[in-house]
Amino acid sequence: MMDDDLDELFGDAPQLQLPPPVSKGLLQCVDDLRLSGCCQKIAWSKFGCIAYITHDGRRVNLRHLLCDPQDGQWKLSETYLEEEVSTVHSDHQIVHLSWNPIGNDIAIVDVFGQISIFSVFILLNRIHVSRKCAIDPEDHLNAVVGLKWLNTDRVLPLYRPGNKKDGIWHFMASKHNPLGPLNPNGNKSALVAITRGGAIRLLAQGQESRWQDIRTEVDSVSSSSGLLSHAALSPDKDSTMLLVTHSIDKQLRLYRVGIDCQQLVFNIQHLKTINDCSPMDQEGNSSLMSRKMSCQMSHLELIPPGPEMRTRGPTSPFALAVFSYVPDHSHDDSVREEPFSILARWEFHGAKTKLHPSFEQLTSKRPNFSSPGELPSELSVKRSEDVVINRLLLSLQDVYLSTILVLTYGDGSIEFRDRTGVGVLPRDDIARQVSSMYQVGFDFSDMGTCLHTALSPNLCAAVSLSENYDVKLGLMQLSPRRFDGAIDLAMVEAATESFVLQFAIACTSHSNHTDDLLAVMQSFLKQRSNDWTEQGLLIGNLEENFLSDIYRVLGVNIDHSVDPQPEQLFRNQMIQKCLSMQMSLGYPGERQHRSLSSKVALTILNLRFASLMLAYSFKKPSVPRAESDFKKPEVLRSLLGLVSWSMALMSFITDELFTLGNLVKVHGAMDKSFIDSKIREMNTPALALVLSSTPRSFLKYNCRYLRVLSTELKPAQVHGAQRLLFDELGAVFKKYHVTIMQFDRILSELDSVIKNAYVSSQMSEVQRKTAEKEMLVAATVPSVLVSVLESFLTFSLDSLREEVNEAELFFSDTSWLGLSDDRRSDAWRKDHVLDVFRKVELPREAKIWRCTRCGAVMEHVRMLQGSPWSMNLQRWCLCGAWWMMTRDEDVG
């Protein structure tokens, strides 16, 4: 005890740890936030494009997530500098970036309030100007202090927390219309901006993609103290907008803004004024109060009313202001205070004012007077208790129909808070409920000190800008606080279902971007694989459970065995999204072999595209006596590779079925374990493609149009380029050893025996759908089909063996299909590159686009050729992901 006292007396005791000083970059960032409500330097669009302002402030860089084709790992792409931004803005300082709700348009704002609009069209790493800002005046009073994109007319879902019942997780969603006002020109973009001088601007895109600029004064500014520093807008339930402004003299003013979308004029009504907008007094704590008085507003947001639900009443809109305190250590570095932020809230409640009933009686006696009814609504303002956070808040946004707030801080941390009390979201009891990835236990790892942060479309990834403007990617990871040491089965199940929920939200919110979710899942599987191996948990089981549940939760019908409806396979976009996820989870890069489930999904996606191309080619022209697209040379040329791929696939499947049949004959009586083990050993999707009704329907649809095409090649009156292309197509049909009629006979027989097996077994519809899903997801054979499959492989195929030269079929080259794992196929993938759409080999000097998700490539000059429907089909990869332009734009 005495030794400890002596240590303290003579200075040998441990030094008191002082909080680190706030960096210069962070100080400058806070100063910028205090001066203007529009200084977002990095933004992540719903399409997946990441845009951020360069260090010199005059240009914009673009990046995005991509799956590296070399090793299958998700990472950030290289940086692509967009030089045109500097030219459009006359080399002015860029201060703010904002993507529209869809994710295809970005507003770029400079220091003078000039607003340009750039758009993403086909390439995720290229933006093109759609509105130049040369007509905007260069005036500091026109600087933008508030900006809001209008919502588009798209119904949005709100998923309630998932609950487990009878061993199955159920997720229910309600649909909600977006709050207005909306752009009257369909899904065109429109935004509203507020200037420092108190003007309001509407930029609206018309039907011909021309931008209209309407502006008027919100309120007159008579002195410099009346200039605005921050402004926020939000849509309201009556198709108007609420506007709140903050002036230099600390005055908060609330307005209701109506927009006549036909005449493009504003109707502005002043509602309330709040003087001395500052943090609340703190009785009994003079030190804290003195620091609060030094706080300055750094953010102003207007949170719209939340959706009405049966479990709770309607929520009111509220203004949310952030006051930041940054201690000054320049005079006394020995005493350091920690920075903090204060959240101040003002709730707005509307109430209808009614006249006394006596006035109703008075008007009822005088029929010439109409009833006065209700007077215009009054607005009451209620100040809530301030919330103090011991960190510097850099940004906040409302998500999930404004039910949750996401806050980012200068230390790199990210928080999810409830809108009601602005408290941190509680974690789920994972045994009973799954609400979100965050509430299950996922969290962002320490991203380090940063100046700006942007969240991904699915809120499970983030990018931050450091003081040197380096971009860092952060992925959600399972927090160690949620489990002791190793992860258990309950945690794996909850994590899987949180992935299912997030994927369902993304798919039903008109977004096809799930690359961030794929990156998080890949990281989760990789980091926890050792824990699972020790506990006997299989990664494959997690993937299969996830895939099985996304088909179920999204209501994707994959059972076409009894009542086939092939049109649904093309109209339902959800099946493409689910297949894309299935294909991506089993993609380890070009140097390794795909999983069996991934091969099945990849083949179905290719079949879907081939069927669409063939169907559109034979579609009757809308104009009478117009030439059919099928007879156009460019269309015929585009079909050459697709026909060759389709015929090669038929040969591949037939040969694999023959091989399986031989194995069954050697083995003797076939059981489920034997055939499943052989399928996994061979890693071939052939059997699953003909057993599962979804790919079998696509195969039949393909055969139908291939038969039509083969008969159309015979007319003798065709000459010139058409005749040459007809002859080339005819040679493709003759090249392969299995004809369309022979393969179609296989499909028809399997259709019949499988349907009879289902009927005779008296399976329920649910059991049948489960069996079909197992074949599609796991490529396993259901017990109910084992006997009919044995009969088909050992007897039914014998008649086809007599018609086909098995030796020639075995040695035919189908390595370019990418479905085999032999050395010949590996060598082909290493030395050749295949155009994913035209199915032709590309030369090394070809200019290409690469898919950000599956790594497929397309020769980009081909986009300029063909019919409009053909170009529209090629706008995205067949997996539904975006194209990117490679750095050198060539195959080599």
Side-chain angles (χ1 to χ4, degrees):
M1 190 73 176
M2 184 177 294
D3 292 339
D4 293 340
D5 295 339
L6 290 174
D7 288 340
E8 292 180 5
L9 178 63
F10 292 102
D12 293 332
Q15 295 293 322
L16 179 66
Q17 295 293 324
L18 297 176
V22 180
S23 65
K24 292 182 179 180
L26 202 53
L27 285 173
Q28 182 61 50
C29 179
V30 174
D31 285 342
D32 292 341
L33 290 169
R34 290 170 173 174
L35 291 173
S36 172
C38 284
C39 50
Q40 183 176 343
K41 302 298 190 292
I42 186 169
W44 200 331
S45 82
K46 289 290 181 66
F47 279 1
C49 181
I50 302 168
Y52 63 97
I53 301 172
T54 56
H55 203 309
D56 61 9
R58 287 174 169 80
R59 294 169 295 176
V60 171
N61 283 329
L62 302 177
R63 300 183 77 172
H64 55 83
L65 284 176
L66 66 86
C67 184
D68 192 336
Q70 297 300 317
D71 56 12
Q73 298 298 307
W74 284 93
K75 64 180 184 180
L76 279 178
S77 70
E78 296 180 7
T79 302
Y80 299 88
L81 181 63
E82 196 58 56
E83 295 277 5
E84 192 177 7
V85 173
S86 177
T87 303
V88 169
H89 284 267
S90 303
D91 212 30
H92 295 153
Q93 200 81 9
I94 306 299
V95 296
H96 184 70
L97 303 175
S98 177
W99 288 98
N100 68 341
I102 297 177
N104 62 322
D105 291 332
I106 183 172
I108 301 178
V109 186
D110 65 27
V111 68
F112 293 111
Q114 296 179 316
I115 304 175
S116 66
I117 310 292
F118 282 73
S119 303
V120 175
F121 179 57
I122 296 175
L123 298 172
L124 199 56
N125 52 3
R126 284 292 180 268
I127 53 177
H128 306 277
V129 62
S130 63
R131 181 192 186 270
K132 295 184 177 181
C133 56
I135 59 175
D136 297 344
E138 295 185 12
D139 188 346
H140 285 288
L141 290 180
N142 288 321
V144 177
V145 296
L147 187 148
K148 181 73 174 180
W149 288 92
L150 298 187
N151 288 326
T152 54
D153 191 11
R154 296 184 174 189
V155 177
L156 297 174
L158 181 63
Y159 277 83
R160 292 188 286 275
N163 296 299
K164 191 174 184 181
K165 183 179 180 181
D166 298 330
I168 299 176
W169 285 92
H170 299 273
F171 299 96
M172 304 298 294
S174 54
K175 296 181 179 180
H176 300 270
N177 292 317
L179 298 177
L182 310 174
N183 190 337
N185 296 314
N187 288 323
K188 298 291 184 179
S189 295
L191 64 84
V192 178
I194 309 298
T195 69
R196 189 175 301 279
I200 183 171
R201 298 177 59 186
L202 170 67
L203 296 181
Q205 192 176 28
Q207 290 292 352
E208 298 179 356
S209 296
R210 294 181 179 178
W211 289 87
Q212 296 175 292
D213 187 357
I214 311 298
R215 66 180 68 198
T216 189
E217 295 294 324
V218 177
D219 216 337
S220 60
V221 177
S222 57
S223 65
S224 60
S225 62
L227 295 176
L228 304 183
S229 64
H230 298 76
L233 301 110
S234 77
D236 206 1
K237 294 181 179 180
D238 56 357
S239 294
T240 62
M241 300 187 78
L242 290 176
L243 164 64
V244 61
T245 63
H246 177 263
S247 55
I248 296 176
D249 57 5
K250 296 185 178 181
Q251 194 175 73
L252 210 64
R253 296 174 68 87
L254 180 66
Y255 304 86
R256 184 174 297 281
V257 179
I259 302 176
D260 187 334
C261 294
Q262 300 300 326
Q263 303 297 324
L264 291 179
V265 294
F266 290 104
N267 179 19
I268 303 174
Q269 177 189 6
H270 175 248
L271 300 177
K272 287 286 182 180
T273 298
I274 302 173
N275 296 311
D276 191 22
C277 178
S278 58
M280 282 181 166
D281 294 338
Q282 188 76 20
E283 297 182 2
N285 192 336
S286 58
S287 174
L288 178 60
M289 195 59 230
S290 63
R291 286 183 289 165
K292 278 190 173 184
M293 296 304 295
S294 302
C295 290
Q296 297 183 44
M297 180 181 287
S298 58
H299 293 83
L300 180 61
E301 296 291 339
L302 197 51
I303 310 301
E308 295 185 14
M309 302 176 65
R310 289 179 296 178
T311 55
R312 66 182 181 196
T315 56
S316 302
F318 63 91
L320 180 60
V322 180
F323 297 91
S324 300
Y325 174 77
V326 181
D328 185 6
H329 297 145
S330 58
H331 302 294
D332 185 3
D333 194 55
S334 62
V335 179
R336 291 182 188 167
E337 298 174 323
E338 291 188 359
F340 62 85
S341 304
I342 298 175
L343 302 184
R345 292 171 293 152
W346 292 267
E347 293 185 13
F348 307 125
H349 300 275
K352 295 290 186 179
T353 303
K354 291 187 177 182
L355 291 175
H356 192 273
S358 300
F359 287 93
E360 295 287 343
Q361 298 174 4
L362 179 63
T363 56
S364 64
K365 296 178 180 179
R366 302 181 63 181
N368 293 333
F369 287 83
S370 59
S371 173
E374 295 179 342
L375 294 177
S377 60
E378 293 184 351
L379 191 74
S380 62
V381 180
K382 178 184 177 183
R383 177 75 182 265
S384 302
E385 288 292 328
D386 290 351
V387 177
V388 180
I389 302 174
N390 294 322
R391 281 171 289 178
L392 274 180
L393 193 150
L394 295 185
S395 70
L396 64 93
Q397 66 181 101
D398 56 298
V399 297
Y400 297 143
L401 295 179
S402 303
T403 58
I404 294 175
L405 303 177
V406 185
L407 283 62
T408 67
Y409 300 97
D411 60 0
S413 59
I414 299 173
E415 274 188 339
F416 292 77
R417 293 176 172 253
D418 182 67
R419 68 165 286 154
T420 305
V422 199
V424 177
L425 284 180
R427 300 292 187 175
D428 282 333
D429 178 1
I430 59 174
R432 299 186 302 106
Q433 179 173 289
V434 169
S435 303
S436 66
M437 291 174 60
Y438 175 80
Q439 290 172 273
V440 161
F442 284 86
D443 214 337
F444 287 96
S445 58
D446 183 16
M447 299 178 66
T449 303
C450 60
L451 305 184
H452 303 277
T453 303
L455 272 78
S456 67
N458 292 301
L459 309 177
C460 57
V463 284
S464 62
L465 275 179
S466 68
E467 292 196 37
N468 298 324
Y469 270 57
D470 296 326
V471 179
K472 182 179 180 180
L473 173 67
L475 300 176
M476 266 193 165
Q477 298 178 354
L478 200 59
S479 174
R481 296 187 298 270
R482 290 293 286 166
F483 54 91
D484 298 327
I487 189 172
D488 59 6
L489 183 59
M491 193 70 245
V492 172
E493 184 179 359
T496 303
E497 296 307 319
S498 71
F499 296 150
V500 172
L501 174 59
Q502 190 57 58
F503 182 76
I505 293 173
C507 290
T508 53
S509 300
H510 310 282
S511 172
N512 196 36
H513 182 82
T514 51
D515 292 351
D516 53 348
L517 182 59
L518 276 168
V520 171
M521 290 184 66
Q522 182 186 79
S523 174
F524 177 68
L525 294 171
K526 182 179 180 181
Q527 291 179 356
R528 298 300 163 193
S529 59
N530 294 334
D531 293 339
W532 299 343
T533 301
E534 294 175 1
Q535 299 185 45
L537 303 175
L538 299 177
I539 294 178
N541 291 343
L542 185 150
E543 294 180 356
E544 289 177 13
N545 292 338
F546 168 78
L547 293 171
S548 177
D549 280 356
I550 63 174
Y551 283 107
R552 175 180 58 83
V553 172
L554 291 174
V556 179
N557 180 25
I558 55 177
D559 178 20
H560 302 274
S561 56
V562 177
D563 183 21
Q565 296 178 349
E567 291 78 10
Q568 289 186 358
L569 294 174
F570 299 104
R571 294 175 182 173
N572 190 350
Q573 296 297 319
M574 294 299 176
I575 191 170
Q576 181 195 28
K577 297 179 180 182
C578 293
L579 288 170
S580 179
M581 204 71 174
Q582 180 174 336
M583 177 201 66
S584 301
L585 285 175
Y587 176 58
E590 296 175 350
R591 297 180 179 179
Q592 300 184 54
H593 300 143
R594 287 182 179 272
S595 68
L596 182 54
S597 179
S598 178
K599 287 183 179 180
V600 172
L602 174 64
T603 309
I604 298 175
L605 288 169
N606 275 283
L607 279 169
R608 181 178 181 272
F609 174 78
S611 300
L612 285 171
M613 282 289 289
L614 289 168
Y616 278 118
S617 298
F618 288 100
K619 188 177 180 180
K620 293 182 179 180
S622 56
V623 180
R625 298 183 180 180
E627 183 183 30
S628 173
D629 283 346
F630 164 69
K631 297 182 180 180
K632 296 177 181 178
E634 61 269 21
V635 175
L636 288 171
R637 197 172 292 110
S638 68
L639 294 179
L640 277 170
L642 281 175
V643 172
S644 181
W645 179 87
S646 300
M647 297 301 296
L649 180 64
M650 294 180 191
S651 295
F652 168 80
I653 292 175
T654 305
D655 181 55
E656 292 294 307
L657 292 178
F658 284 168
T659 302
L660 282 172
N662 293 334
L663 291 174
V664 171
K665 289 180 179 179
V666 172
H667 179 265
M670 188 185 81
D671 54 20
K672 175 178 170 58
S673 60
F674 170 78
I675 192 64
D676 284 344
S677 64
K678 287 301 177 183
I679 293 172
R680 287 194 298 270
E681 179 184 328
M682 296 169 63
N683 200 30
T684 174
L687 187 60
L689 291 173
V690 294
L691 276 189
S692 175
S693 60
T694 295
R696 192 169 68 248
S697 297
F698 278 120
L699 285 168
K700 292 185 65 178
Y701 204 84
N702 224 20
C703 288
R704 169 186 169 188
Y705 279 102
L706 288 174
R707 283 199 307 270
V708 175
L709 177 59
S710 63
T711 58
E712 292 287 338
L713 301 179
K714 299 177 181 179
Q717 63 271 21
V718 179
H719 304 284
Q722 286 183 342
R723 182 71 268 166
L724 293 175
L725 289 168
F726 273 29
D727 291 341
E728 286 188 61
L729 283 168
V732 170
F733 282 112
K734 297 176 182 178
K735 175 182 177 181
Y736 294 94
H737 305 287
V738 178
T739 67
I740 304 170
M741 298 297 293
Q742 290 170 336
F743 190 77
D744 196 30
R745 196 167 69 227
I746 294 176
L747 300 178
S748 298
E749 182 169 349
L750 282 171
D751 257 348
S752 177
V753 296
I754 291 175
K755 182 177 180 179
N756 291 336
Y758 284 154
V759 173
S760 60
S761 66
Q762 298 182 345
M763 295 179 68
S764 66
E765 183 179 356
V766 174
Q767 291 173 324
R768 191 178 68 243
K769 288 183 176 181
T770 301
E772 287 287 333
K773 191 158 53 177
E774 288 178 1
M775 287 188 285
L776 182 67
V777 171
T780 58
V781 180
S783 301
V784 68
L785 298 182
V786 171
S787 60
V788 296
L789 178 60
E790 180 181 15
S791 176
F792 172 78
L793 291 175
T794 55
F795 298 105
S796 301
L797 279 181
D798 287 345
S799 60
L800 184 58
R801 290 178 190 268
E802 298 175 359
E803 303 174 17
V804 177
N805 189 322
E806 282 194 68
E808 291 182 352
L809 180 64
F810 178 79
F811 288 106
S812 61
D813 184 13
T814 57
S815 58
W816 60 285
L817 294 177
L819 301 178
S820 301
D821 296 342
D822 54 14
R823 293 181 179 178
R824 188 177 186 182
S825 299
D826 292 343
W828 200 98
R829 284 194 296 268
K830 182 180 179 181
D831 299 331
H832 303 81
V833 176
L834 189 73
D835 187 300
V836 68
F837 286 136
R838 295 188 300 126
K839 304 300 181 188
V840 295
E841 183 181 349
L842 296 177
R844 290 196 171 272
E845 65 274 10
K847 295 181 178 181
I848 65 166
W849 293 344
R850 185 179 292 276
C851 175
T852 59
R853 178 177 297 182
C854 69
V857 299
M858 176 182 69
E859 191 175 8
H860 82 264
V861 295
R862 297 297 171 184
M863 280 292 297
L864 303 178
Q865 304 177 10
S867 301
W869 54 263
S870 174
M871 292 186 288
N872 188 54
L873 286 176
Q874 299 175 51
R875 184 175 176 182
W876 295 275
C877 179
L878 54 82
C879 71
W882 283 89
W883 297 109
M884 56 173 276
M885 187 162 58
T886 56
R887 178 63 67 184
D888 54 7
E889 296 187 10
D890 61 22
V891 177

